[in-house]
Every structure is written in structure tokens, then in C-alpha cells.
């Protein structure tokens, strides 16, 4: 009896795997990035505007039902906005962040039935983990006071975040689909290291008292095969 049940379970697992569908594609994701900031003591950090970045990468959707898919992939994406620093007795300064992350998204996509011929709407919810691989502060890759020190040394990595998205997908052929939508990515971890903005040398600016987090709105356009 046990052998029969084991055989049935094995057959069911093979059948389920055979019915599962994996779709792989590529996307581009231009975005508008900003930073959420907070600070204490005699200086104050505020968000002072957004910056335009570009990104893109690989998309993998693993369908475990007609309207449900596990989604992941690998993407290179730019983040960061403009931050204003106000210190008592000193002139205000602005800092433009341009950070490059290689990140792994993990989430769930929920698809509607067809809302138009060969077209379905999807909703996406998930998380992401990103590693900082490069960046500039005020257009510079190195710190002003140390030409040999990369500005990325002033930031924490990895970064954890959540992502929400909505879009539409259209069947263009037997195995080809195009999709487009919008997503909101919200970083959950503080990206400012203890040496952010050279805080170790500037005694009036202690980065342990500041928190900087990424946010962005992206336009996601892609093709699946």
C-alpha cells in the first residue's frame, strides 16, 4: 500500500511539474529615484528632489496555476535622489546620489482573465535584495578628500526592500508576450554607512544620527519568450 501511495505521489509530482510553465524575458526599467531621510542634533537632512535613472534585466515567471506565477530574475538598476544638508552656522549643501545596484527580486504575480483579446492585467507583490556595485556622489566616483577611496565605501550593502507593481501583458505569438507596467520599490534598510559624506573626518556630521533609504517609481517594459 505504501509503495502504491508513493508511486501515485511521484506521478502527481511529475504531472504537476510538466504542467508548470516557465516564461523568461528581458525588460528595461527607467525610473525616478528619491531618498527618504531623517536626522537629529544640530544638522538636518531633507529630500531635495528626484533623479532619473535607468535599469533593466532578466525576468523569470514560473506559473503554478493559470493565473498565478512566482516571479524572480536579475536586474541592474540605478537609485538615489538629491539630499539637502543644513548645518547650524554653515551654508546649505546638496548631495546628488547615483547608485548602481545588482538585485534579485522575488515575488508573486496575480493575473486576471482576459480583459481584451489576448490581454491580461497583472498585480505584483514581493521583495528584493540588492548589492551596491558602483555609484557616484555629485558626479564623482571617489571622495573629494581621498582620490583613492570610492564613494561607495560610505554606503551599506546589501539593501533589502519591497516592491509593488501593476501592468498588462499581451500575447503576440505562440510563445511571445509583451508587457508594460509601473512599479514602486521601497528600500527598508539604511544605506548610510558611518563614513557617509566623510563623517569620520567631519566631527560636526555624525552619520550614526542619520538614516537614508531609497525609493523609486519605475516604468517596466519588456518581452517574454
Amino acid at each position: 500500500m505504501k509503495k502504491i501511495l508513493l508511486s501515485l505521489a511521484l506521478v502527481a509530482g511529475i504531472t504537476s511539474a510538466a504542467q508548470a510553465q516557465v516564461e523568461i524575458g528581458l525588460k528595461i526599467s527607467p525610473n525616478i529615484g528619491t531618498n527618504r531621510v531623517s536626522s537629529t542634533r544640530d544638522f538636518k537632512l531633507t529630500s531635495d528632489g528626484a533623479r532619473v535613472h535607468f535599469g533593466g534585466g532578466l525576468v523569470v515567471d514560473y506559473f503554478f496555476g493559470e493565473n498565478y506565477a512566482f516571479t524572480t530574475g536579475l536586474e541592474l538598476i540605478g537609485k538615489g535622489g538629491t539630499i539637502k544638508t543644513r548645518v547650524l552656522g554653515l551654508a546649505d549643501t546638496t548631495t546628488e546620489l547615483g547608485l548602481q545596484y545588482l538585485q534579485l527580486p522575488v515575488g508573486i504575480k496575480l493575473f486576471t482573465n482576459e480583459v481584451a483579446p489576448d490581454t491580461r492585467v497583472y498585480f505584483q507583490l514581493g521583495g528584493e535584495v540588492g548589492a551596491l556595485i558602483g555609484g557616484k556622489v555629485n558626479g564623482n566616483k571617489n571622495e573629494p578628500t581621498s582620490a583613492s577611496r570610492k564613494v561607495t565605501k560610505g554606503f551599506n550593502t546589501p539593501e533589502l526592500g519591497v516592491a509593488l507593481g501593476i501592468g498588462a501583458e499581451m500575447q503576440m505569438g505562440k510563445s511571445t508576450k509583451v508587457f508594460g507596467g509601473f512599479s514602486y520599490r521601497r528600500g527598508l534598510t539604511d544605506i548610510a554607512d558611518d563614513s557617509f559624506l566623510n563623517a569620520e573626518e567631519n566631527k560636526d556630521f555624525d552619520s550614526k544620527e542619520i538614516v537614508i533609504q531609497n525609493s523609486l517609481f519605475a516604468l517596466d517594459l519588456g518581452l517574454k519568450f
Side-chain angles (χ1 to χ4, degrees):
M1 184 66 178
K2 290 183 179 180
K3 292 183 178 180
I4 294 176
L5 292 176
L6 182 60
S7 298
L8 290 174
L10 181 59
V11 170
I14 294 174
T15 302
S16 176
Q19 292 177 342
Q21 181 181 0
V22 178
E23 297 178 352
I24 300 175
L26 299 173
K27 72 173 181 178
I28 58 172
S29 299
N31 74 76
I32 298 175
T34 61
N35 292 106
R36 307 179 333 267
V37 297
S38 62
S39 57
T40 59
R41 252 184 56 182
D42 297 331
F43 56 83
K44 184 174 181 60
L45 265 64
T46 57
S47 178
D48 195 43
R51 302 192 68 207
V52 176
H53 304 277
F54 294 91
L58 180 69
V59 178
V60 180
D61 289 342
Y62 180 89
F63 283 82
F64 54 89
E66 183 179 356
N67 299 87
Y68 312 98
F70 170 79
T71 184
T72 184
L74 188 65
E75 58 185 359
L76 179 66
I77 192 164
K79 300 182 182 182
T82 301
I83 297 172
K84 178 182 289 186
T85 305
R86 176 168 296 174
V87 182
L88 291 179
L90 299 176
D92 294 352
T93 60
T94 58
T95 303
E96 294 183 347
L97 303 184
L99 306 175
Q100 292 290 328
Y101 287 84
L102 183 66
Q103 61 185 29
L104 176 71
V106 178
I108 297 293
K109 277 185 179 177
L110 307 178
F111 289 82
T112 66
N113 294 324
E114 289 189 357
V115 296
D118 297 323
T119 303
R120 299 197 295 173
V121 173
Y122 68 82
F123 303 90
Q124 182 174 343
L125 171 64
E128 54 192 21
V129 55
L132 181 64
I133 61 172
K136 295 181 180 180
V137 172
N138 292 332
N140 299 313
K141 292 184 178 181
N142 298 321
E143 292 183 352
T145 58
S146 177
S148 62
R149 179 181 167 87
K150 300 291 186 181
V151 296
T152 51
K153 296 295 184 180
F155 296 90
N156 294 319
T157 189
E159 180 194 36
L160 302 178
V162 295
L164 301 173
I166 183 172
E169 186 176 275
M170 178 181 293
Q171 188 83 38
M172 297 297 292
K174 182 178 180 181
S175 60
T176 303
K177 297 178 180 180
V178 295
F179 65 87
F182 298 93
S183 61
Y184 172 61
R185 323 283 185 87
R186 185 180 180 89
L188 300 178
T189 52
D190 179 15
I191 65 171
D193 185 74
D194 288 347
S195 59
F196 176 70
L197 291 183
N198 214 20
E200 291 179 338
E201 298 180 12
N202 186 346
K203 303 305 180 182
D204 294 326
F205 195 93
D206 184 359
S207 70
K208 292 181 179 179
E209 300 179 6
I210 69 173
V211 174
I212 301 177
Q213 296 168 304
N214 286 314
S215 294
L216 64 87
F217 290 91
L219 172 64
D220 302 310
L221 303 172
L223 179 69
K224 293 199 295 186
F225 313 100

